[in-house]
Each structure stands twice: as structure tokens, then as C-alpha cells.
Amino acid sequence: MFIGRRRLIPAVLAATALLGLTRPAPGGAVPDESWRALEKWHGPSGPYVVITDSELFAAIDLDRPGLEKVKELAAAERYEQAYQAWGSYWASRQGPAWVSDPAGYPRAMKSSASWIIPVLNRQADRVVAREVEAGGYVAVPQGRFIDWAADNGKSEFIGFQYFFWLPPVARAYLFTGDVKYARAFQDVVCSWYDSLPRIERFDDVVWNSQLGASLRCVFFLEGYSLMRGSPAFTPELHAKILRVLLGHARYVKDVHMKEYTDWNGQNTGLAMLACTGSFLPEFREAPDWRATASRLAKLHIARNFHDDGGQKELCTQYHMTGLRDLGWAVRALRAAGDDSILSDPSLRAKFREAFRWPLKIAFGSGFTPALNSGVVDKEWIAFAAIGARLFDDPVLRWAVRSFAGPSYIPMQKGLNAWELDESCPAGVFPGRAGRPPDFKSHQREGPGV
């Protein structure tokens, strides 16, 4: 049957846009040189950016239960249908879910910290409206979402690409079930992926010595997990986000995980590997990612904190960063059945002291002082709640109940939306007693804080 030119070009667009490696042209698709330039990003594990359909499906263990249809369609090179089948599998997969229970989180927030919900929803609505700001960088709406390559030449553009502003979108979806948040998430991920050839400072912006790549992937994976049941997710999203998660994990593992370094950014990298390996065990490389993360997390907990629990830089901001990243890793690995970090008595004791340390320097009001690049804040209470659950610690339970009262919003240099989980709000430890600490705060002469 003859297909006219006006119908042929849209067909070519649909067939080639999914992969993102070719561009349409009259008469058919031709290789896109801008994508070819990114083929240089590869290493021992395989390609990091330019990953074909066949390479992507080869990286997935399609013999796992539930992937029978995906395997059949991928073998027949019916890739768009294979991604659609993956989407059905992903939406119905029972677990592992995420470090925070997708059902427990909104229940706990609505019952114990309802005042935070409108704040998160407003931030999510700004993303839906394409009003995105980060550290002074204001994104420019363009095309499907924004102009991701609008580089102002400053470090704030790099920080914007960390995606700290994205987590409220998934939270708002859990609170409301509104499909607009899942659609916005899809537009963010897919348009960002499509922009990769246009980002000039690729190494600085996309990889950022593992830091940017790792944070971005954790936030992508979190949204992909928490909104997995949304009908808004299409084969295009599955094709692009799986490429990002696979390629970025390969890059971080190959380049930055060969040996321990005392830079706290390695914590972020190992956290990403732990999360990707735990919550996407379908990737054949997932066991290696988890083992790498576990090995290095143990070294960081042992070496990065002083005996009193303080992080070696004695900065409240980077202390919380260590709790965030290593907390991600410990909880993700535990979800995958690896609890070897907290099963080690010495590591367990040291990590617990790290969660208690902010209480040791807190003012009577619950605020911690501005040490080094940190600011006066109460963000640590969100982490105290995570520690209370990890260690079944009555002192940390007492701290949460004492300082996370009505109107508490965890802030340091922005809303700590990504760390709030079902254990955070005060009063969500029914039947579990709290106990004041037996140590004194360094900020007061009296007992406790």
C-alpha cells in the first residue's frame, strides 16, 4: 500500500524518536552525528549513553518470571511493543518497591504531618507548570518541557541538573493520584534524555564526577518506582529511563568505584548503585552494583565519622549528606536482602552515633548551629526518624517526638522532600517508647538538650 509523504514522515518520527539515536530526514532516517559523538562514553561494563534497543534488552535478565512477553517481543525486534510489555510488568511488579513504602508514606504524612503536604504539592505544581528554579538558576520553558542546554556558564547550572527540585512530583502523585504529576515526570525525563547531544559541558554537567549523575538517577528511579502504576507512563519513558539508569550506573561503577576515596561524593555514587541494583534487580549487572556499594559503604561508615559520630568535615550540611547517602544505601540493600552493614556490631554502633550526633550539638530549641557551610536548621530531625527506625533507637524516637511538632518542616538549603519517609513525622512509632539522651548537648550546661 502506498504511503504518501505526509504520512511517511510522522511514521519515521515515531519509529526513531523512541530510541533517540537517529533524526528524521526526507526519505527516511539517517544517523544523527550529535548522538554519534556521545558514543565515546563507554567502558568495561559497556556503553554509558548511546545504548541500542538490542543492547538494552541484552542487559536485562529476560528469563526472570513475569518477563516472558518482553523476551518474546525483544527477540522478534518488536521493541516498542517490548517496552509496552515492560511497562505492564513494571506497573504490576509487587516488589521491591522503594526505601519508603508507597502506601505507608502518604498515610503517615496525612495523619502526622499534614501541614507539609500543601508545601510539597505547591512545589510539584510549579514543576508541572515548568516553573523550575534551583540555586539561582531559572529554567527557560521550551518545547516539551524546558531548554535543558541553556547553560549560563556558572556552577548553578550544574547544580540545577542534580534534580533536587524533582522529588515533590512523585510525593504529590502519592497524595492525590493526579495523573498530571506522572505526565510531568515523563516529560522531564524524556526531554532531558533527548537534550543530551546539546549539552556542551557534558562531562561537568551530566557526570559531574559521579555526583550529578548519581543524584539524578536516584531521583529518576524514585519517581519511576513511586508512580509505577500510572497509566501516563508510555513505552517512550521506559526506553529512555532504563537507558539512563543502566548507563549511569555503569559509568559510576567503572570510573569512580575502583577503590575507596574519602570524598563524600563517593557516598552518593555508591548510594545510586545500591538503589539501582536493589530496585532494578532485572539488570544483569545489579548484583555487582550491590556488592560494590556494600563494600564501599562499610568503609565510609568506618572511616568518615569520628568516634562521637561527627562526620570528619564537622559541617552540618555534609553530615546530613552522609546520613542521606549512606542511609539510602543501607535501606536499599536491606530491601534486597543484604543487611550485612548493620549486622556488623562496630558499623552499626558507629552509624547509630552518626544519627545521634546532631542531637549532641543541638540548641534547646532543636536547631543545630551553622557549622562550616551548614546553616541553622532542624533538618536533622528527618534523619533522626530514619535512624530511629533503622536502629530501633529510643533516644532518636524521643528526639523526633520532642522537636518535630506541628508546623515542623525540615529545611537546610531547601525543603528536604526526598528524605521524608513513612517514619519521619512525630507520633508514628505507636507502642515504642522514647528515652531522653544520657549525654549533654555541647550547647547547654544542663542534661539532655
Side-chain angles (χ1 to χ4, degrees):
M1 180 174 62
F2 174 78
I3 300 179
R5 180 180 176 83
R6 291 192 178 185
R7 294 180 62 191
L8 174 61
I9 292 178
V12 172
L13 276 167
T16 60
L18 184 64
L19 181 57
L21 304 185
T22 57
R23 59 179 171 83
V30 298
D32 186 336
E33 294 303 323
S34 63
W35 277 99
R36 286 193 184 280
L38 299 182
E39 290 178 346
K40 69 177 183 179
W41 296 108
H42 63 85
S45 295
Y48 302 151
V49 180
V50 181
I51 303 172
T52 66
D53 290 310
S54 60
E55 289 170 334
L56 178 59
F57 283 112
I60 299 173
D61 180 5
L62 298 178
D63 290 322
R64 292 175 67 92
L67 292 175
E68 295 83 4
K69 191 64 176 178
V70 180
K71 180 179 181 179
E72 174 190 335
L73 292 166
E77 299 185 2
R78 295 161 61 184
Y79 293 124
E80 185 167 4
Q81 291 172 289
Y83 290 120
Q84 186 172 3
W86 168 273
S88 298
Y89 162 81
W90 183 246
S92 61
R93 196 188 76 174
Q94 295 302 305
W98 187 242
V99 294
S100 302
D101 173 22
Y105 171 78
R107 283 199 303 267
M109 292 291 287
K110 290 175 181 178
S111 65
S112 301
S114 59
W115 58 89
I116 298 180
I117 294 176
V119 180
L120 289 168
N121 287 347
R122 283 196 297 271
Q123 291 198 347
D125 288 338
R126 286 180 60 84
V127 176
V128 172
R130 302 191 294 173
E131 298 173 359
V132 182
E133 299 180 27
Y137 181 87
V138 180
V140 179
Q142 184 183 82
R144 185 171 183 176
F145 194 71
I146 61 173
D147 184 0
W148 295 102
D151 191 341
N152 64 0
K154 300 178 181 179
S155 62
E156 61 186 20
F157 173 70
I158 297 174
F160 161 71
Q161 301 273 354
Y162 290 179
F163 284 75
F164 279 125
W165 45 268
L166 183 61
V169 173
R171 300 301 198 279
Y173 178 83
L174 292 181
F175 296 143
T176 68
D178 195 324
V179 73
K180 71 179 181 182
Y181 297 115
R183 288 187 183 127
F185 176 80
Q186 171 161 289
D187 285 344
V188 166
V189 173
C190 292
S191 64
W192 181 83
Y193 175 88
D194 291 342
S195 75
L196 288 176
R198 298 190 298 110
I199 295 177
E200 294 184 2
R201 290 190 291 165
F202 195 93
D203 196 359
D204 291 339
V205 174
V206 176
W207 300 136
N208 191 235
S209 298
Q210 78 182 301
L211 186 58
S214 300
L215 288 167
R216 183 183 309 114
C217 280
V218 171
F219 299 144
F220 278 11
L221 181 56
E222 181 190 70
Y224 193 47
S225 296
L226 296 182
M227 295 185 284
R228 70 173 60 193
S230 173
F233 285 1
T234 67
E236 180 193 12
L237 173 67
H238 304 308
K240 291 176 178 177
I241 199 169
L242 290 174
R243 280 182 170 83
V244 172
L245 295 171
L246 171 63
H248 282 36
R250 284 174 168 175
Y251 162 80
V252 169
K253 195 265 182 183
D254 287 352
V255 178
H256 295 285
M257 296 289 151
K258 295 177 182 177
E259 59 185 8
Y260 166 86
T261 65
D262 63 2
W263 182 48
N264 56 36
Q266 192 178 59
N267 288 331
T268 316
L270 70 87
M272 186 268 274
L273 289 183
C275 289
T276 309
S278 297
F279 300 115
L280 273 171
E282 293 85 358
F283 280 129
R284 297 183 188 276
E285 295 157 58
D288 192 22
W289 298 337
R290 295 195 301 269
T292 299
S294 179
R295 172 176 58 83
L296 289 171
K298 293 172 183 177
L299 292 173
H300 277 271
I301 291 173
R303 300 178 185 180
N304 283 24
F305 299 96
H306 297 293
D307 290 341
D308 68 352
Q311 197 260 357
K312 59 185 178 62
E313 294 170 276
L314 295 179
C315 167
T316 48
Q317 177 185 355
Y318 288 111
H319 189 94
M320 304 310 162
T321 297
L323 298 184
R324 179 197 71 197
D325 294 341
L326 293 168
W328 268 336
V330 167
R331 289 180 288 162
L333 292 169
R334 172 179 279 182
D338 177 3
D339 201 27
S340 60
I341 296 174
L342 295 189
S343 296
D344 181 311
S346 63
L347 293 178
R348 181 181 179 88
K350 196 154 197 177
F351 203 32
R352 187 196 68 173
E353 287 307 302
F355 279 91
R356 284 184 170 190
W357 183 79
L359 184 58
K360 297 177 181 179
I361 64 168
F363 298 109
S365 61
F367 285 92
T368 51
L371 299 182
N372 293 312
S373 63
V375 297
V376 175
D377 77 285
K378 295 172 73 174
E379 182 190 37
W380 68 274
I381 301 167
F383 295 99
I386 292 170
R389 188 174 293 272
L390 279 176
F391 305 103
D392 191 22
D393 188 343
V395 171
L396 292 173
R397 283 197 294 269
W398 174 88
V400 174
R401 289 172 178 162
S402 297
F403 299 119
S407 78
Y408 165 70
I409 296 179
M411 299 284 290
Q412 190 181 95
K413 294 184 176 180
L415 178 65
N416 189 348
W418 60 92
E419 277 298 337
L420 293 174
D421 74 356
E422 71 276 9
S423 68
C424 178
V428 296
F429 305 104
R432 309 296 292 164
R435 186 184 74 241
D438 56 8
F439 51 78
K440 296 180 181 180
S441 168
H442 297 297
Q443 306 299 330
R444 293 189 61 183
E445 292 296 325
V449 293

